Amino acid sequence: MAPSILSSKTWTTIEIPPRSVTADTDTDAKRRWFREELGLYFDPFALLDAGTDPYLPQYLVGQRAMEQLWGDWPSFLFAPPGGGKTAFRVWLTRVCRTGQDGRRILPVVLAPPRPEEPQTPLPWERYIEALSHAIAASLLLDLAYQPSSSLTPQSFPYPQLRPSRFFDLSEDERRLVRLVLERDLPMPLDYLLDQIADEGSLAPWSRTFDPPSLGLPNEPAAESLRAFCKAMRRAAPTPSSQLPERGEKTIQTLRTILGYSAVYLLVDEADAYIQDPKAIVRLLKPLWAKTTAWSRQAVFVKYFLPEEVRSKIPAKMLTGPTKCVIIQWEPETLVQVVRERLRIASEGMFRSLIAISTPDVNEDIEFQLARALQPPIPREMLRLLQRVFFVHLQRVGPYGRLQQEDYAEALAWYPGR
Amino acid sequence: MERLPLVYNDPYFVDREEALAVVLDKARALLRGEPVRNRTTTYYGPRGSGKSWLLRELHHRLQNTPEFQNQVTSLFIALGPATAGVPSDGLHVPADKTTEKWVNEAADLFKNIAQKLGMGQPPTPGADALATYVIAGCRLQGCPVVIIVDGVDEMPPEFLRELENHFLAPLSPEPYVLFVLGGRIRDPRKYAWKMPELRLYADEVWLKPFAEEDTREQLKRLSSLGLSPKAAPEVQKAGNGYPLSNVVLATHLEGDPPQWRDKGAALRECADLLLENVTPPLRDYFRALCVLRSFDEMRMPPLLAVWSGTPAEYWDYQCCRRIREDMVATRLARWGESQGFVMDEAVRVVLENDLRENEPQRWRALHRAAYGLFTDWANRYPTAKDRWMPEAEYHQQFI
């Protein structure tokens, strides 16, 4: 299955190949080599884009920064491109979905609208459109995840402990939710319901909306999902149903009827289409203007931005209740990135490149690689490791362990690529 | 062997106060209304290091000491053989089922947990809905809940997947629930914990061997069984201070000052006990490799060749890989930081001492083979000379 991404403008699913230098050799022979000789059940270094990596939550590192993001306050996280912004966003989305600290928070991942002309500000309507799509997609996933359909008042007589989700809503409230979804989802609701009812899992939506959300704990069983789809289809709107305005009004309505204590608006991929920090600032300004007012309504904006933007942000935005996190990668943490990926790919068998290298490789090889990185960020580590495997495949083929020559050649290639 | 107190008995419990405090301090913080970030605590240690005893002691203290009694709910779940026994109010899932039964087995466990938490008899919904009952059950306690799971690495991956997905991960965000897990290695056999909830918010405690004074205290408390605290120095030297080995070895010392009746027999008995769940061909591989401080497929052939009297070429890469995987599957060997796979020190030390005492020529031949291998590598691979020369020097002292 090739990874998919969403274009924030069109909201259609497009297929892209993994951005990997070893992609052309990703054959059965390579897979067999990985599995049978190296003991790796998948290539943990294949995907450079965290947003497309379904295994990402399993090998996240850097939890100290996460503490600054989890809470009812606006926050800014700064990191260079490839420096883990999306990984931290994925983590925050996940803890919201799983109800960290027993809280109920709706995570909304917002990719700012694509500017047509970097010098020209976009109209607010474009932001509202992107926001509405993002809210609807997140809401649908949240409602389907743990729909608690099998918990009837008879079998579960603890109303205060029921997970307040779609099945606990009145008929009118269900209709209203359905109306919001029909209006704001980027694709037809019934089509999306068919997808999960057919597959019996949330995987089709995860693949479409947010690949790293695959494998949430305790996902509903197939029959629970089908019951949810059936109930959602039955909630046909009546002509009298009143729709709240898109954006803020919709958020507040949903918060009230579904009992979310807060909404976290996670603004990521502002640098997906433009690299100029001034243009990024221009793109984000309309959202900054709303950040404080939204906080008062329990909508907390969490920005995940490239490091170069930091100096362009007005100081008052970064002070007060706002928390600011700057991600800096040390060799030790970059080595941890490699080791955690190997741990998961080997199903816990080992956690070092030494386990798949010949005896001519010194045991500090991960540190040697980490110290060579320019800049020192996880994406560069992945690129360098992809090169190591590429060199081995070119020199030797899909056989044997990685050799000192593979590392040496990759390191020699790296700075002058 | 029957007279050895393998089943937990609180008067015999020694040391480990520091390890216990990791969880007890978290329970105290919750009772004071303070938030606890790392709500999962995992205890690791080799066979015979006292993990199960420690978890039983923890459960005992949470239920019987005034500061926790009736203010904390403690739930004990024993997985696998449960050699330290199961508390009368605990739950037990043995590891002797057929593969296809594990999903149902896990669902039954969750249902029993919900009942223990006062949720009555849940209907028979899927594991996804049972998690809701368990979460509700924890919330209804109105006090901190400590869930102790012993032997997580004793179970097959199919069960662990259910346990993690439908029990540990959904409960882990609950602010008043503490998890305490016990196992020999960080990642159970053929299964890596996947949920960040269990990895990022966990404290890991590795149980070290007893110091000599703790061994002395342990033997003192067992003096009614004829063990002498004066045996501590000899026992410590032969077994490295792991509680299980201490007891087995001490039964072979007598007199004042204590003398070995038959040191070779003592070490062989201890080695056999530590390897009791390992099948015969694999036992030989453990013995053959016990002189190495770390190993992998490329270091194994010369030693296996010496042990079995076959040419080194007989032990090819794939063959060694299968052996290595089987050894890791016993959880008596694991990946050890960055140098390679390592045998549990509690096992390796006893196996090597057994070999040195009972088969000294073979023991020396194994060290000679290792010395030859590492000297060759140190000379042949200048890029890794710093890695292999210390290994060669280590083995040289024994030949």
Side-chain angles (χ1 to χ4, degrees), chain A residues 36 101 155 218 343 359-361, chain B residues 165-166 173 187 321 383 387:
Chain A
E36 290 171 15
D101 296 336
S155 69
N218 201 39
R343 183 183 76 89
D360 54 347
V361 176
Chain B
N165 193 25
H166 296 301
D187 289 309
R321 187 180 161 203
T383 47
R387 184 177 170 199

Side-chain angles (χ1 to χ4, degrees), chain A residues 208-223:
Chain A
T208 303
F209 294 126
D210 191 13
S213 71
L214 273 171
L216 284 165
N218 201 39
E219 280 196 3
E223 60 268 30

